[in-house]
Amino acid sequence: MDNSSIESLRLVRNNNQDLLNFFNDSYISKLEQVQSLKTEEFELKAKIDQLLKTLDVYSFKTSAGHNVFSPFSVSNTSQQEKATQIEEQLRELQDIQATLKIQIKEEEEETDLLKKRIASLSSSNRHLDELLSEVTEEVSTIEVPASDAEDNQEDNEDPVNHGINILRLQQYERKKLSEKIQSDITDVLDSNFHKLEVLSWLIRSDINRAKVTLEELTSSTSKLADHVDEMALSLANEIDSEEPVWTLLENLMQTYKDEHTECAISFDIDCTDYAINISDIVATNLVYIIQEIMTNVFTHSNANKVVVKIYISSKLVDVYINDNGVGIDSNYSDNSPWYSGLHKIKEIIYLLNGTFKIDGDIESGTNVRFSFPLS
């Protein structure tokens, strides 16, 4: 197969991906519509149930059983008129409910159809990727000299570019930290300074207001001290070196399970050698990478199921994380901000001499796989 045919295949693959992205967006939008309609149906049912209870009160044929002191102890005519009004409201609401049920059914049918189309397009993409991989490798083997192949490597595999990316990320984090100190600490200090000026005046003029201001100052200073401690811990980014990394990871995953009860989280941490000594810096970054990935899952995926598998041996660390959420843009590396968490962990894994891969769609969710050797 020549280069022209490969380009045609790539064009088909890109068009296929555009269609897949369109149907993914339509599917998510349709799911939201269905959920909105079901919420409306639930609220409508609650109104109908309430009206039925009210109707029971006004539906007596005679008032013989009514207590004279009851607020409903009125004439049979009034009772019947009220019951008739309620019955009319019920009919209207039940008609709306029936219409909603039909609309929900139609929307769910369209959702199922979109899901089938997405599955079909995803399958086509996988086959096209396999075919492109085979023919590209074949053409590369036949036509591209070794020296040219090295020159044509992707820029993101160039160590110089990795180094620039890492420096940019470090500079970006320093800038964000500076802004955070300016907003979170300096502003509080300025506020406290003004309160001290007011306090010095109130001590001479209004002792009761001075006491209140002093309490505000004490509370504000205490909160600021706690905030500084939090920032210091965040900056240090250190883990408890007394605990082995597998225990830290188990505790971390259990914390996620406790905090995100809406999501079914299963994890398996397999360590083949519990006597292994993993350096603190490697353990710290391993925990950080998993935290960053899990944060992305809970923030962006809309998943209700997450599977985490971690393998640790004396030679390497291998991690696989899957969620059943909305998937990820196949061009996330180009489309997401350069300072995003995923870009940062990609560079950390590069520094650890490891490999990182992330892919997925609305059918399979998002799959993250990374590994790095242990010396």
Side-chain angles (χ1 to χ4, degrees), residues 307-311 318-322 366-370:
V307 177
V308 180
K309 296 182 179 180
I310 303 172
Y311 173 80
D318 190 20
V319 178
Y320 171 75
I321 300 176
N322 166 262
T366 301
N367 302 292
V368 180
R369 182 73 177 265
F370 71 88

Side-chain angles (χ1 to χ4, degrees), residues 186-204:
T186 307
D187 290 351
V188 175
L189 291 174
D190 288 342
S191 175
N192 285 356
F193 177 75
H194 293 308
K195 286 180 181 178
L196 283 170
E197 290 182 329
V198 173
L199 181 62
S200 64
W201 177 77
L202 288 174
I203 287 173
R204 296 188 298 270

Side-chain angles (χ1 to χ4, degrees), residues 234-283:
S234 176
L235 279 172
N237 194 28
E238 292 180 343
I239 61 172
D240 185 355
S241 58
E242 299 298 320
E243 294 282 358
V245 68
W246 46 87
T247 301
L248 293 171
L249 292 172
E250 286 177 356
N251 293 339
L252 176 65
M253 301 312 302
Q254 189 58 52
T255 299
Y256 284 133
K257 291 188 71 171
D258 295 339
E259 292 179 351
H260 298 275
T261 53
E262 78 286 354
C263 188
I265 303 173
S266 63
F267 63 92
D268 178 28
I269 301 174
D270 180 15
C271 182
T272 61
D273 182 5
Y274 287 100
I276 187 175
N277 182 24
I278 299 177
S279 66
D280 288 349
I281 189 63
V282 172

Side-chain angles (χ1 to χ4, degrees), residues 111-127:
T111 301
D112 290 338
L113 181 60
L114 283 171
K115 191 173 183 179
K116 290 177 182 177
R117 288 178 175 172
I118 288 169
S120 176
L121 287 168
S122 296
S123 177
S124 299
N125 269 1
R126 285 192 291 271
H127 289 305

Side-chain angles (χ1 to χ4, degrees), residues 1-7 9 131-132 135-136 138-139 143:
M1 185 176 287
D2 57 17
N3 287 329
S4 175
S5 299
I6 293 176
E7 287 304 315
L9 263 179
L131 182 58
L132 272 170
V135 298
T136 303
E138 178 183 346
V139 170
E143 298 181 358

Side-chain angles (χ1 to χ4, degrees), residues 149-320:
E150 291 176 1
D151 293 338
N152 289 331
Q153 286 181 349
E154 292 184 6
D155 289 341
N156 61 8
E157 294 303 321
D158 185 345
V160 173
N161 283 289
H162 277 290
I164 291 172
N165 289 339
I166 292 164
L167 291 173
R168 289 175 70 201
L169 285 166
Q170 289 176 341
Q171 183 179 19
Y172 174 79
E173 289 184 351
R174 285 195 296 269
K175 179 183 177 183
K176 297 301 290 183
L177 175 61
S178 173
E179 292 173 352
K180 190 170 182 64
I181 290 174
Q182 182 70 31
S183 62
D184 292 2
I185 297 180
T186 307
D187 290 351
V188 175
L189 291 174
D190 288 342
S191 175
N192 285 356
F193 177 75
H194 293 308
K195 286 180 181 178
L196 283 170
E197 290 182 329
V198 173
L199 181 62
S200 64
W201 177 77
L202 288 174
I203 287 173
R204 296 188 298 270
S205 60
D206 189 339
I207 193 64
N208 289 326
R209 288 183 62 189
K211 290 178 180 178
V212 173
T213 303
L214 182 60
E215 290 175 358
E216 291 176 354
L217 271 168
T218 303
S219 174
S220 175
T221 304
S222 176
K223 289 179 181 177
L224 179 61
D226 291 341
H227 191 56
V228 170
D229 288 342
E230 290 176 6
M231 292 185 67
L233 287 172
S234 176
L235 279 172
N237 194 28
E238 292 180 343
I239 61 172
D240 185 355
S241 58
E242 299 298 320
E243 294 282 358
V245 68
W246 46 87
T247 301
L248 293 171
L249 292 172
E250 286 177 356
N251 293 339
L252 176 65
M253 301 312 302
Q254 189 58 52
T255 299
Y256 284 133
K257 291 188 71 171
D258 295 339
E259 292 179 351
H260 298 275
T261 53
E262 78 286 354
C263 188
I265 303 173
S266 63
F267 63 92
D268 178 28
I269 301 174
D270 180 15
C271 182
T272 61
D273 182 5
Y274 287 100
I276 187 175
N277 182 24
I278 299 177
S279 66
D280 288 349
I281 189 63
V282 172
T284 296
N285 280 280
L286 173 59
V287 172
Y288 168 80
I289 291 169
I290 293 175
Q291 285 176 323
E292 186 65 38
I293 294 170
M294 296 298 289
T295 298
N296 272 277
V297 170
F298 298 128
T299 305
H300 304 295
S301 74
N302 197 28
N304 58 20
K305 182 180 179 182
V306 181
V307 177
V308 180
K309 296 182 179 180
I310 303 172
Y311 173 80
I312 302 173
S313 72
S314 59
K315 294 184 178 180
L316 84 150
V317 172
D318 190 20
V319 178
Y320 171 75

